Structure formats: C-alpha cells, structure tokens
Amino acid sequence: MFIHRLGVAAGGGFPPWNCTCTGCRKARAKSEIATKHAATAISGDGEHWFLLNATPDVRHQTAADPSLHPGPQIGATPVAGVLLTDAEFDHTIGLLMLREESALTAYATYPVLEALTSWRHSRLSGPSAEWEVGFRLEDKATGGSVVYAPTLHPWDAEFAEQVASADRVFLDGTFWTDDEMSIHGARALAALPAKRKIYPHINNTNPILDEGSQERRWLTGLGIEIGRAGLEVEV
Ligand SMILES: [Zn+2]
C-alpha cells in the first residue's frame, strides 16, 4: 500500500488568510513553512488512488503529486474515490471541486453523507460517534496495516486495540493548547509498537509546525513525525 501525504494543516490551512500570530506571519514570509490542508492519498497498486478527505486545496494537491495526474486517456483519472473522516468543511469542500468526475465515489458514515447531501452543517445535530471516524487500512498482499485517525477522540479500548496492532499510525495532533493532554497523547503515541508514528492534522496555532520549536524537537526525540505534503510511506 502506498501512502502520499498531501498536506498537514487543520481548518484554514497554514497560514490561514486572517491570522496575525507569529507563526502565521513567519509562514506568510517563508513559503516553505506554509502548508496545505491535511489530506492523504492511498493506493493498493500505485494506479488507483483514494483521497482521505477532500480539502479546499484539493486541486493544488492533486496537481502537486504526479501519481494523481489525469491521463493517459482523455478524461481518465487515477482518483477512484474519497474516504471522509467527518463532514467538516475543510475535509469535504473539495468534493465540489472534484465535481467534473462523474464516477467518483465518496465513502463516509450515514450521518456524514446525510449532512453533505442535505446541506446541513455537521455540528447542528450535536456530537455522535459516527460524526467522526478513523480508518484502518490493510494491504492483503503485504500484510501491512495503517490506522488513519486525523481528528478522532477519545483513546478508548477499541481504539487502543486498533492502534496497538498497526504498522503505521496517523493520529490527531491538532492542538497543543492543553499541555497536559498533548504531552500525554504524544507519549501514548510514542509508546505504540508501530514502525512510524505521524501527526497528519495540525492547527495553525500549534508550535509543532515550526521545525525550530522546542515542542517539535521534543516530538522528534520521541520518534513522532509531522505528516507534511510530500511525505511518502509504503506499507
Ligand atoms: Zn496564526
């Protein structure tokens, strides 16, 4: 299974258009620090690809990765479908930009599909386990497994079982505002037996986006990676 990271930023991207914090100013001045919305492309054969969430940056994200370019026949695309973790705008609005594709299939829980098709905002009906899901992906040929849960809480018994037996894990790294929880979460992630542990979804206020930050160095020391665009993983 091939996994290509297409971006790492939570809603609004990094920097968002209206944020004046130090980190965002820095990212505006240095384009290599800026990053697109969090999304991933996965493929079992390297020819047919599925997007894990469709972000407002999807057009640029598919253009930046040669594996996702259309062709060789007119109208052909390697993008076979989209898997949605939830109905948040920054994870679904890209579906509108993929509208030219007539055979694109979107996979999501029933409440998410209902929210998208009836134009209700995802928060209107309150929290529910089915609003937000993670995916466990297994490659039958290699036996490799991946857990992809960019925004999923909490770390319950079922989730613990899933991540404990995965070869690669991509887990929520959105915020660093509650120190205790972030440090606890990072330690729990670092303790997993998976060969690679990656944060795929990070808010613009989170200091781990800055390579020079103390928090980022601490995570690197724990063996946790930031799933920036361009990162490729094979399982
Ligand atoms: Zn900011």
Side-chain angles (χ1 to χ4, degrees):
M1 176 166 34
F2 304 97
I3 302 164
H4 288 185
R5 291 291 298 153
L6 308 176
V8 72
F14 182 61
W17 71 279
N18 59 349
C19 185
T20 54
C21 79
T22 313
C24 289
R25 282 175 196 268
K26 218 163 141 184
R28 219 165 270 125
K30 284 181 127 184
S31 59
E32 64 271 26
I33 300 177
T35 178
K36 295 183 181 78
H37 282 90
T40 296
I42 53 158
S43 175
D45 58 7
E47 288 176 16
H48 302 84
W49 291 82
F50 289 83
L51 303 179
L52 283 160
N53 290 332
T55 83
D57 296 319
V58 71
R59 193 169 68 82
H60 302 289
Q61 289 173 319
T62 50
D65 187 335
S67 305
L68 305 177
H69 288 179
Q73 298 86 12
I74 293 170
T77 169
V79 180
V82 182
L83 280 68
L84 302 169
T85 57
D86 52 67
E88 293 295 331
F89 285 129
D90 57 309
H91 296 158
T92 56
I93 215 158
L95 290 172
L96 298 174
M97 292 157 202
L98 298 168
R99 67 191 184 283
E100 288 88 357
E101 174 52 53
S102 55
L104 193 81
T105 309
Y107 299 87
T109 62
Y110 180 74
V112 167
L113 290 174
E114 195 186 43
L116 294 173
T117 50
S118 60
W119 294 99
R120 278 189 294 121
H121 188 270
S122 60
R123 291 285 181 215
L124 286 181
S125 297
S128 148
E130 290 198 321
W131 278 118
E132 238 171 10
V133 294
F135 291 101
R136 185 190 173 91
L137 309 159
E138 294 183 358
D139 187 315
K140 292 220 162 73
T142 65
S145 58
V146 175
V147 167
Y148 186 83
T151 60
L152 195 65
H153 301 284
W155 196 304
D156 59 18
E158 192 197 337
F159 188 63
E161 199 183 306
Q162 294 293 340
V163 292
S165 58
D167 298 313
R168 310 285 189 277
V169 290
F170 294 77
L171 299 190
D172 183 22
T174 309
F175 293 107
W176 197 277
T177 47
D178 179 343
D179 260 8
E180 206 182 322
M181 215 181 138
S182 297
I183 289 169
H184 179 75
R187 286 203 173 117
L189 177 57
L192 293 174
K195 293 189 192 93
R196 288 179 82 169
K197 300 134 192 181
I198 298 165
Y199 277 146
H201 189 270
I202 302 167
N203 198 58
N204 63 293
T205 54
N206 191 327
I208 63 174
L209 279 171
D210 181 353
E211 278 184 21
S213 72
Q214 209 183 325
E215 292 85 351
R216 176 67 166 268
R217 282 197 296 272
W218 183 72
L219 282 185
T220 306
L222 287 177
I224 298 174
E225 300 170 67
I226 305 299
R228 279 189 172 277
L231 178 78
E232 295 187 6
V233 177
E234 209 177 316
V235 182

